Amino acid sequence: MNLTLRVWRQKSASAPGGLVTYEARDISTDMSFLEMLDVVNETLLARGEEPIAFDHDCREGICGACGVVIDGTPHGPRRATTTCQLHMRSFKDGDTITIEPWRAKALPVIRDLIVDRTAFDKIIQAGGFISAPTGSAPEGNAIPVPKESADQAMDAAACIGCAACVAACPNASAMLFTAAKVSHLGTLPQGQPERRERVLSMVAAMDEAGFGNCTNHGECEAACPKEISLEFIARLNRDFIASSLTERPRSKHSDAPG
Ligand code: SF4
Ligand code: FES
């Protein structure tokens, strides 16, 4: 296939950016989207031009590093598919494809298609842990976990922290990500000691990072490559209200969830 790409180029967070047009020639339908960008970058390097900067690590849909907006949709046209697992057979010969970075104040562009996701790290640091006694590993079956709780925790733990939910939300809200991380530990017996403090601290960190409010558009769930359910946001809201009556967060207090 031969394609025309319109790619967002931006040298740094403070530099102005803009869309630049490139031709992608002889692209196999079996290539992944990132492999297609690799081919374009080889052409740019051969011409002595700066390659397109994009983030990636696992290329297996598990690390969350690779997200870009493809023709206006985070991670592109295929449902439940990360950019690295999107294949060029989803496009047609002669297509023009527009590729942009996530757009959110809390996720500033570092260069071209790469954004700074430190704000997500801060939310995790605020509550993504449980207290556990040090020493030898505990017996695996010492704490029985109800099947329903285990299933819920696994569903929430599927979140890879890619931030497509933020990019898709008209308010740039991080509620789906935060809800997944709060629920992942909050549904398990091991996560109960910090359950109330965790939700307050993670919501406070989310608000402090500058993410927008959730107004129930549902775009986050539609864009999520791991199909994290909006039900986790409802769960976060219930936990937040209950916790607000009994606990205070360790970081700056927030009055209401994102
Ligand atoms: S909730 Fe989905 S879209 Fe948001 S960070 Fe997690 S995996 Fe990515
Ligand atoms: S590169 Fe790891 S999820 Fe895409």
Side-chain angles (χ1 to χ4, degrees):
M1 292 192 298
N2 293 320
L3 306 157
T4 302
L5 306 183
R6 296 170 68 237
V7 184
W8 186 264
R9 303 302 309 262
Q10 184 173 345
K11 279 194 185 309
S12 68
S14 55
L19 290 167
V20 179
T21 301
Y22 300 99
E23 297 302 317
R25 299 267 161 218
D26 300 324
I27 301 300
S28 161
T29 51
D30 294 332
M31 284 179 185
S32 74
F33 199 83
L34 298 188
E35 285 168 341
M36 180 274 293
L37 288 178
D38 290 339
V39 169
V40 173
N41 275 346
E42 281 170 17
T43 313
L44 292 179
L45 284 165
R47 293 204 303 248
E49 295 179 29
E50 282 283 329
I52 299 160
F54 61 92
D55 212 350
H56 61 100
D57 189 359
C58 69
R59 297 199 177 202
E60 292 181 346
I62 53 176
C63 76
C66 64
V68 292
V69 177
I70 301 168
D71 288 338
T73 303
H75 290 300
R78 281 189 69 83
R79 194 171 175 83
T81 305
T82 54
T83 302
C84 61
Q85 300 231 292
L86 178 67
H87 283 82
M88 295 313 294
R89 65 182 75 99
S90 297
F91 301 90
K92 294 192 306 295
D93 183 40
D95 274 357
T96 297
I97 306 172
T98 303
I99 312 168
E100 299 171 87
W102 294 161
R103 306 272 185 207
K105 189 177 73 177
L107 306 171
V109 171
I110 295 174
R111 190 179 177 91
D112 295 342
L113 304 174
I114 300 177
V115 299
D116 183 350
R117 287 181 294 134
T118 303
F120 267 24
D121 295 338
K122 288 187 175 161
I123 294 172
I124 294 289
Q125 286 161 6
F129 52 84
I130 60 164
S131 57
T134 55
S136 59
E139 154 60 35
N141 295 319
I143 304 175
V145 180
K147 175 78 167 67
E148 192 183 335
S149 303
D151 287 349
Q152 271 189 347
M154 284 298 286
D155 287 349
C159 168
I160 55 173
C162 66
C165 45
V166 177
C169 176
N171 307 327
S173 169
M175 277 288 273
L176 192 64
F177 165 77
T178 307
K181 297 307 175 190
V182 164
S183 302
H184 161 203
L185 295 173
T187 48
L188 293 172
Q190 293 90 336
Q192 296 311 305
E194 293 95 356
R195 177 171 173 177
R196 303 211 179 285
E197 185 183 320
R198 176 182 304 111
V199 65
L200 296 180
S201 297
M202 293 182 97
V203 167
M206 177 181 77
D207 288 346
E208 284 163 21
F211 291 105
N213 296 332
C214 173
T215 48
N216 298 319
H217 284 266
E219 297 291 336
C220 52
E221 185 186 60
C224 176
K226 299 300 162 185
E227 301 187 296
I228 302 294
S229 167
L230 287 175
E231 284 173 22
F232 286 116
I233 294 183
R235 190 180 192 285
L236 179 148
N237 282 327
R238 287 195 300 275
D239 261 14
F240 185 89
I241 290 166
S243 304
S244 298
L245 301 173
T246 54
E247 297 277 341
R248 296 192 68 79
R250 279 171 291 110
S251 52
K252 198 171 88 183
H253 184 68
S254 170
D255 292 330

